[in-house]
Amino acid sequence: MAEPFLTRDLRIAPNGIYIDPPQPQVRAIVTHGHADHARYGHGAVLATPDTVAIMKARYGEDAAGRWDELPFGERRQLDGGVTVSLHPAGHILGSAQVLLEHKGQRIVVSGDYKRLDDRTAQHFELVKCDLLVTEATFGLPVFQHPRPADEIARLLRSVAAFPERAHVIGCYALGKAQRVISLLRQSGYDAPIYLHGAMIRLCELYVERGIALGELRPSLDVPKAELAGQIVIAPPSAIKDRWSRRLPDPVLAVASGWMSVKQRARQSGVELPLVISDHADWNELRQTITETGAETIWVTHGREDALVYWSQQQGLAAEPLRIEAYEDSELDGE
Ligand SMILES: [Zn+2]
Ligand SMILES: [Zn+2]
């Protein structure tokens, strides 16, 4: 492959635009609204309409000097002879892969992605390319996520078994909370779902943007007895602090891809770990690398080394990118 027109800190060489830059830049393309990708203070942000709405809701209207909404699938000519288009990444609402085209070379920056069905995010689209920059949050063979419907079924069995207790589910406020609610609805759970205050704004935003979540109620000021047998969604940090004492004998659950690491669940005192991930697992990562047809793979955002090694075994040119900015947005990355 010819020398890529993207640098290893994800700067488009012909025009100086960065993708998900950790520091404020003159111009940025933002893949999605999680804090390790979407930062305050860029001169101009190009992103999907959902991502722009999420950034405005979290950081304020003035979080960027200029907002440039680019709907999925539309091509936009940038300077330097580069064309950009955004394609669904399936990670959270509005999350995008960035396709860049220049002189016949196609580069895809995946951002965070998953390929499983999720009614709260636009479904992952496979994009053919020459160079794929892929995330690797769960880039180890041990990570093989179970079916989310089975995890939800386990939760509902527990709810049925303990009608006098509340079930509080620790969820990251952007993406995971709405997905868990949507999965509950999909499995037929139609009782009201109670929300910790930190969840309300983003759940409202999802509903405003067309994602059905059923009846939601703030948990604040609800008498303790009324929450017996109910499900409450809260940030992972809240489930163990004073806040949860207002709940009747709560069953502490956390929904995260990391809950497959039993040690991690035990250490955090989680009684009911739910392995529900918004990132591709080891199989999805390998499948995606293969199916894009890319000959060059740059691996970032997690456990790079195993995926680099596997790619090289397939005869691909692969290397890790060491980008410091990315944190673990699966559990409590804010
Ligand atoms: Zn993310
Ligand atoms: Zn991320």
Side-chain angles (χ1 to χ4, degrees):
M1 192 182 95
E3 187 56 27
F5 61 92
L6 187 72
T7 64
R8 282 161 178 74
D9 57 352
L10 306 188
R11 177 178 166 274
I12 304 169
N15 56 32
I17 301 174
Y18 282 85
I19 299 171
D20 289 351
Q23 308 298 335
Q25 299 292 344
V26 177
R27 288 190 293 174
I29 298 170
V30 174
T31 59
H32 67 288
H34 279 149
D36 53 333
H37 300 260
R39 298 290 169 115
Y40 180 95
H42 301 307
V45 164
L46 183 145
T48 62
D50 287 329
T51 296
V52 169
I54 288 167
M55 288 182 72
K56 286 180 177 175
R58 304 188 100 187
Y59 307 140
E61 295 274 338
D62 62 351
R66 191 162 57 80
W67 300 101
D68 196 355
E69 295 183 4
L70 183 61
F72 285 123
E74 267 180 36
R75 301 175 84 230
R76 174 79 52 90
Q77 199 67 45
L78 303 173
D79 44 332
V82 177
T83 302
V84 64
S85 54
L86 303 175
H87 303 268
H91 172 61
I92 64 167
L93 184 66
S95 65
Q97 308 171 74
V98 180
L99 169 62
L100 303 164
E101 298 170 84
H102 179 65
K103 293 185 177 167
Q105 189 182 72
R106 291 164 65 88
I107 298 179
V108 167
V109 178
S110 74
D112 295 346
Y113 67 98
K114 73 170 178 298
R115 302 184 59 162
L116 288 185
D117 184 49
D118 174 357
R119 292 184 184 177
T120 66
Q122 296 86 356
H123 196 269
F124 176 89
E125 178 189 325
L126 184 82
V127 185
K128 296 272 184 189
C129 56
D130 303 299
L131 164 61
L132 172 66
V133 183
T134 181
E135 67 133 319
T137 303
F138 293 107
L140 287 174
V142 293
F143 291 115
Q144 310 218 3
H145 302 322
R147 288 177 358 119
D150 295 341
E151 299 298 287
I152 293 293
R154 252 176 352 98
L155 166 64
L156 290 178
R157 280 198 296 275
S158 179
V159 171
F162 300 109
E164 71 293 350
R165 302 177 71 183
H167 280 67
V168 55
I169 309 173
C171 293
Y172 189 63
L174 171 58
K176 186 58 54 69
Q178 297 79 22
R179 178 152 182 243
V180 165
I181 294 167
S182 172
L183 284 166
L184 281 162
R185 300 312 187 197
Q186 240 175 296
S187 70
Y189 185 81
D190 56 8
I193 293 174
Y194 292 84
L195 301 179
H196 180 285
M199 300 290 163
I200 293 172
R201 178 68 197 101
L202 285 166
C203 285
E204 283 174 354
L205 185 137
Y206 267 59
V207 172
E208 284 162 17
R209 302 192 72 83
I211 307 297
L213 297 178
E215 186 182 349
L216 304 176
R217 293 182 185 169
S219 66
L220 190 71
D221 299 332
V222 176
K224 195 168 183 171
E226 249 175 63
L227 292 171
Q230 304 299 325
I231 293 175
V232 185
I233 309 282
S237 56
I239 67 169
K240 287 183 68 195
D241 71 16
R242 280 166 45 88
W243 173 84
S244 66
R245 284 189 222 154
R246 71 176 66 182
L247 307 175
D249 190 17
V251 176
L252 303 184
V254 165
S256 165
W258 295 113
M259 287 298 108
S260 64
V261 184
K262 299 234 160 35
Q263 176 90 352
R264 200 151 167 165
R266 254 199 312 275
Q267 273 171 0
S268 49
V270 176
E271 199 172 334
L272 184 64
L274 302 170
V275 186
I276 298 177
S277 171
D278 289 320
H279 293 271
D281 70 3
W282 174 249
N283 295 328
E284 286 171 80
L285 291 168
R286 290 182 305 157
Q287 181 192 358
T288 304
I289 287 172
T290 303
E291 290 180 359
T292 60
E295 289 171 7
T296 305
I297 311 297
W298 291 355
V299 185
T300 185
H301 199 291
R303 283 131 206 85
E304 290 92 3
D305 294 341
L307 206 55
V308 166
Y309 180 76
W310 179 85
S311 301
Q312 289 167 346
Q313 298 295 102
Q314 313 307 305
L316 306 173
E319 61 182 275
L321 300 184
R322 308 289 183 194
I323 300 176
E324 301 288 326
Y326 297 130
E327 298 137 22
D328 167 14
S329 63
E330 258 287 319
L331 197 52
D332 49 4
E334 289 195 301

